[in-house]
Amino acid sequence: MIAPLRVSRGLGLGALLALAACVGPTRQGPTPRPAPTPPPARPQIAVPVPPAPTPANAVAAGLKPGPAFASLPTGQRPLSAALTAFRLSCPALVRRSDPSGLTRPADWQPACDASVSWPDTDAQAFFARYFETAQVGDGRLFATGYYEPEIAGSRVAAPGFAVPIYRNPGDIIEVDLGLWSQELKGRRVRGRIERNRLVPYYERGQIEDGVLAGRGLELAWAADPVELFFLEIQGSGRLRLPDGSVMRLGFDGQNGRDYVGIGRLMRDRGLLGPGETNMQGIMAWLRAHPDEGRAIMRENKSYVFFRELTGAGPIGAMGVAVTGGSSVAADPGFVPLGAPILLDADRPEASGLWIAQDTGGAIKGANRVDTFWGAGADARTIAGGMSARGQAWLLLPIGTLARLGSGNGAAPPRP
């Protein structure tokens, strides 16, 4: 290795070059050791962060007081419709246990008593007098829509009516897991007994392939499997019979399998183009691709059973008739069934005061609601295209927040 020359300021460039030509190798000291090769960088292993546990109910999600009801926008629909729906819920409301952890049956009694004689024309004053608003969790709303569909059907199997509509088979076992563990409180599973063991109940594909056939469970017969699939999603509907009469169907149980929204599956797989992710677009694709469509529908293993309804309806989870434009389905762990809920949404149709009178297999968690629109072509159009976001305010009997905040278990709101 040639030692570097020290450059003196007194020598010119030419002298330096001449000198450099005459200089032989200089004596070297010990050969310097090469710098040690650094060890290869240890690969960075991403440690998965477990997701935050999902709150079990409204108390666990956290509450904070909302603005005075009178100061909030109440939408375009008259509040008298919400007052009528609230009255209808009261007989069940004052008897129901509340899995949300927010209210006791007696909390609702003053408002229910007053609603009997309160004039519909002054509904705004009623809700302002008897309720306080609360935000559950972050209050961020996601609202969809449902309606009461009408499809072609028959009471008996006949040419053109080959798709069975089943009543509840009666052998579904529901288990409250909270009886075994406090950590599982509020969770339930459904299944059937096989060889002295509880196993999952039959899924959609098995039922469509005839596992329930021959047991006399056929309530009626539909003409179109796609229409029946969406009637199941709505949870109730009407059959237009060959003689022009109507048979009304109501929810009578579910097989316990998880609901899977096929619209999201189809979107993620690129099967739906822009503007086709609503109900109308999904149905059009399923009909245009019958074999693939049948397979996709079976990916939703959930299956709904029906019963025939007479009288007012359709009937919601509270056992009372739901009303188009006034009733919503909600998760009873986060909204007491029968409670008013005020929505301030980016869709004006969804904004306003609603009464939680129903539930749904896909309606889970805080501030998640399914708005009910009644029956007919307009209801189908609105419900099929409904997807709204905004803010949700839960209305609770006056004094509820003070009681929960005084040592009865209300969790603080999340930051």
Side-chain angles (χ1 to χ4, degrees):
M1 180 176 181
I2 305 297
L5 294 172
R6 295 180 181 272
V7 179
S8 168
R9 290 183 182 180
L11 297 175
L13 177 60
L16 285 172
L17 293 174
L19 180 61
C22 299
V23 176
T26 59
R27 185 177 62 85
Q28 302 183 62
T31 303
R33 295 179 180 178
T37 302
R42 181 175 297 175
Q44 298 294 316
I45 301 176
V47 179
V49 179
T54 302
N57 60 13
V59 169
L63 300 173
K64 66 179 180 182
F69 176 77
S71 69
L72 291 171
T74 56
Q76 302 171 347
R77 294 186 309 281
L79 293 179
S80 58
L83 177 54
T84 299
F86 177 76
R87 279 196 201 103
L88 192 62
S89 295
C90 274
L93 183 56
V94 298
R95 296 193 307 267
R96 291 180 64 89
S97 61
D98 179 5
S100 74
L102 297 175
T103 65
R104 305 162 301 188
D107 296 338
W108 299 96
Q109 196 69 59
C112 284
D113 289 345
S115 71
V116 174
S117 57
W118 199 279
D120 289 348
T121 54
D122 201 16
Q124 170 93 19
F126 170 79
F127 289 106
R129 167 67 180 83
Y130 286 96
F131 295 95
E132 58 192 5
T133 67
Q135 176 180 302
V136 179
D138 59 16
R140 288 185 292 182
L141 164 72
F142 177 48
T144 49
Y146 72 114
Y147 72 108
E148 187 180 19
E150 183 175 296
I151 70 174
S154 171
R155 290 184 179 273
V156 296
F161 301 99
V163 186
I165 302 171
Y166 288 112
R167 56 172 55 90
N168 192 310
D171 59 350
I172 298 177
I173 306 297
E174 184 169 275
V175 178
D176 181 356
L177 298 179
L179 297 175
W180 277 262
S181 170
Q182 281 295 314
E183 294 180 357
L184 298 175
K185 188 175 181 179
R187 298 188 60 185
R188 296 174 180 269
V189 295
R190 297 187 189 100
R192 60 187 177 88
I193 299 298
E194 183 180 273
R195 297 178 182 176
N196 296 322
R197 294 171 54 241
L198 181 69
V199 298
Y201 203 75
Y202 304 114
E203 62 184 61
R204 171 176 298 279
Q206 293 172 299
I207 295 172
E208 290 180 349
D209 285 341
V211 72
L212 298 181
R215 294 173 52 180
L217 297 172
E218 293 83 359
L219 178 66
W221 301 80
D224 183 349
V226 174
E227 292 280 5
L228 179 58
F229 180 86
F230 279 87
L231 190 147
E232 285 187 48
I233 293 174
Q234 304 307 313
S236 63
R238 308 178 184 191
L239 290 186
R240 180 65 65 175
L241 304 177
D243 63 2
S245 62
V246 170
M247 177 183 180
R248 298 187 57 248
L249 302 177
F251 179 89
D252 196 30
Q254 187 257 2
N255 64 345
R257 299 299 188 118
D258 290 339
Y259 172 85
V260 174
I262 66 169
R264 176 173 294 182
L265 292 181
M266 296 169 71
R267 181 194 63 197
D268 292 346
R269 295 171 187 176
L271 302 178
L272 299 173
E276 296 177 344
T277 55
N278 55 22
M279 184 182 69
Q280 291 83 356
I282 295 170
M283 293 180 80
W285 193 96
L286 295 175
R287 289 200 174 95
H289 307 82
D291 292 336
E292 299 95 325
R294 182 169 179 263
I296 286 175
M297 287 190 289
R298 287 188 170 199
E299 293 190 52
N300 175 25
K301 297 181 180 181
S302 171
Y303 191 91
V304 171
F305 304 102
F306 292 99
R307 61 190 174 95
E308 184 173 1
L309 295 179
T310 58
I315 304 300
M318 296 189 74
V320 301
V322 292
T323 307
S326 298
S327 303
V328 295
D331 185 337
F334 294 86
V335 178
L337 286 186
I341 182 169
L342 183 62
L343 310 182
D344 185 10
D346 56 8
R347 288 283 299 269
E349 309 99 306
S351 293
L353 189 63
W354 301 77
I355 307 298
Q357 295 177 306
D358 206 359
T359 59
I363 312 304
K364 300 297 183 186
N367 311 300
R368 172 72 174 96
V369 300
D370 206 18
T371 54
F372 178 62
W373 295 98
D378 289 345
R380 178 175 177 136
T381 299
I382 295 172
M386 177 55 63
S387 179
R389 298 186 183 273
Q391 178 74 29
W393 301 103
L394 181 59
L395 271 63
L396 297 171
I398 292 286
T400 300
L401 291 173
R403 174 176 60 80
L404 291 173
S406 61
N408 283 337
R414 293 183 173 185

